[in-house]
Amino acid sequence: RKAIHPKDKERVMRELRKSARDRKNTVIRYRIRRKDRVGRCIENRVSWETDDRGRTVAMNGVMHDITEIKGAEKELRRYCDHLEYLAEKSTLRLKESNKRLKRVEERLRESEQWHRKIIENIQDGIMIIEEGEITYINNRACEILGYSREELAKMSGLDIAAPEEKERLLRIMEKSKKTGIPPKDLDVWIIRKDGTRRSISNRHSIVQKRNGSIAHLVVTVDDTERRQAEEALKESENKYSAIVEQALDGVIIVQDETIQFANRASAQFSG
């Protein structure tokens, strides 16, 4: 009893009295101080012997020196506490990172919504093609081409090209497939779903996405009126050129002191 550490003595005696009263075996751990004043940790396994009448006649105690075990437990507890501290610190950093990520995602989502709203309301058709598949079509492109998004996603340029354009368009597509470079500008007549003919001008550009993949951006403009005006002007020029060429009177056009045109009659007059 004298060897028991003063701070453990009262507890040890209390546990022994309770074990004796209840006649139950118990395990008591406590510190002792040896004669050389070296402290050790002891585990005492206490058991009780009784006589035929059930009276306690003896106490048996088996003691083990658990100093090293207690030291290991203390070190393990300290290590676990440190791990909990690191885990808590990492959790806080992760929560803060998640908050920042959410803010970035919100700003990105707002930016995408804003740009999408702009794209949906511009007068040019916009189409994005990735790995040969149409991944985005704006409303204006559907209006110009005369088909819905779902229909266009399943079609190719040949499907809507006017009959006289198909052979030329096929050559252009085959060349683009071989070189991997789409034509920068392409004017082509198309037949819309309602049967009307329209002339479109496509401008192609290659865009590299953040993940490194390549997307093709196609901007489509309906230039039917311009093409019709050009063809009408050309037809008119050819018509009046033929009339002037067949005229009996000589016709000479001079610009900047240079003869720009002389019909057949004027050449005959001048010899």
Side-chain angles (χ1 to χ4, degrees), residues 7 13 27 32 38 59 86-87 95 105 117 125 132 134 181 196 200 204 215 219 226 232:
K7 292 185 178 181
M13 298 308 298
V27 177
I32 66 169
V38 174
M59 180 190 78
L86 292 178
K95 287 181 178 179
E105 289 176 344
K117 191 172 183 179
I134 299 173
I181 303 174
T196 57
I200 62 171
H204 291 73
V219 179
R226 179 187 64 81

Side-chain angles (χ1 to χ4, degrees), residues 45 59 269:
R45 296 181 175 272
M59 180 190 78
F269 293 153

Side-chain angles (χ1 to χ4, degrees), residues 13-261:
M13 298 308 298
R14 185 169 61 251
E15 291 183 16
L16 279 174
R17 285 194 296 270
K18 184 176 184 304
S19 176
R21 183 176 63 251
D22 298 339
R23 296 178 184 177
K24 290 183 178 180
N25 298 341
T26 188
V27 177
I28 305 174
R29 291 184 175 183
Y30 51 90
R31 294 167 291 174
I32 66 169
R33 183 169 295 175
R34 301 192 315 187
K35 187 176 181 180
D36 58 5
R37 304 188 67 80
V38 174
R40 305 296 291 177
C41 293
I42 299 297
E43 180 182 86
N44 193 352
R45 296 181 175 272
V46 178
S47 60
W48 303 93
E49 292 184 14
T50 57
D51 59 16
D52 296 339
R53 297 181 181 181
R55 293 177 300 183
T56 301
V57 295
M59 180 190 78
N60 297 320
V62 179
M63 292 187 294
H64 299 279
D65 189 335
I66 60 170
T67 306
E68 284 71 20
I69 295 176
K70 291 290 287 185
E73 288 177 349
K74 185 177 180 181
E75 181 64 22
L76 179 60
R77 188 161 48 249
R78 188 191 66 79
Y79 181 68
C80 289
D81 290 343
H82 183 63
L83 286 180
E84 288 179 4
Y85 166 76
L86 292 178
E88 184 178 354
K89 193 173 181 180
S90 297
T91 301
L92 291 174
R93 285 201 299 266
L94 182 59
K95 287 181 178 179
E96 185 60 31
S97 296
N98 287 337
K99 288 181 181 179
R100 289 197 297 268
L101 180 60
K102 285 182 179 179
R103 289 195 293 268
V104 171
E105 289 176 344
E106 288 175 1
R107 289 197 295 269
L108 179 60
R109 187 162 48 251
E110 290 174 357
S111 175
E112 288 177 346
Q113 290 173 350
W114 174 250
H115 285 89
R116 183 180 292 271
K117 191 172 183 179
I118 294 175
I119 290 173
E120 288 297 342
N121 289 279
I122 63 176
Q123 293 303 305
D124 295 343
I126 301 294
M127 187 180 301
I128 298 176
I129 303 173
E130 299 179 70
E131 297 180 358
E133 294 185 3
I134 299 173
T135 58
Y136 175 78
I137 308 172
N138 72 343
N139 292 332
R140 181 56 178 157
C142 296
E143 293 173 4
I144 293 173
L145 301 175
Y147 290 89
S148 67
R149 284 184 173 85
E150 293 73 19
E151 290 170 327
L152 288 170
K154 300 175 183 178
M155 301 170 73
S156 70
L158 288 173
D159 295 325
I160 61 176
E164 70 275 12
E165 296 277 33
K166 291 184 182 292
E167 185 177 349
R168 179 176 70 92
L169 189 58
L170 182 60
R171 290 197 301 270
I172 293 172
M173 292 173 65
E174 289 177 348
K175 181 180 178 181
S176 176
K177 187 176 181 180
K178 289 180 181 179
T179 61
I181 303 174
K184 187 175 181 180
D185 297 289
L186 177 63
D187 295 332
V188 62
W189 283 96
I190 65 168
I191 305 295
R192 305 203 311 174
K193 187 176 181 179
D194 60 8
T196 57
R197 286 173 59 89
R198 304 299 291 178
S199 174
I200 62 171
S201 177
N202 286 338
R203 297 192 303 275
H204 291 73
S205 58
I206 297 176
V207 180
Q208 186 170 8
K209 301 173 66 177
R210 285 191 293 268
N211 61 7
S213 62
I214 298 298
H216 295 268
L217 176 66
V218 182
V219 179
T220 301
V221 178
D222 186 338
D223 66 346
T224 305
E225 285 71 21
R226 179 187 64 81
R227 288 282 294 276
Q228 288 175 339
E230 288 178 352
E231 291 183 359
L233 178 61
K234 185 176 181 180
E235 182 179 349
S236 176
E237 288 176 346
N238 292 337
K239 178 181 177 180
Y240 286 104
S241 177
I243 293 173
V244 171
E245 191 65 40
Q246 298 299 324
L248 297 176
D249 296 331
V251 178
I252 298 175
I253 299 175
V254 179
Q255 184 177 0
D256 297 330
E257 299 180 355
T258 302
I259 297 175
Q260 300 293 335
F261 174 79

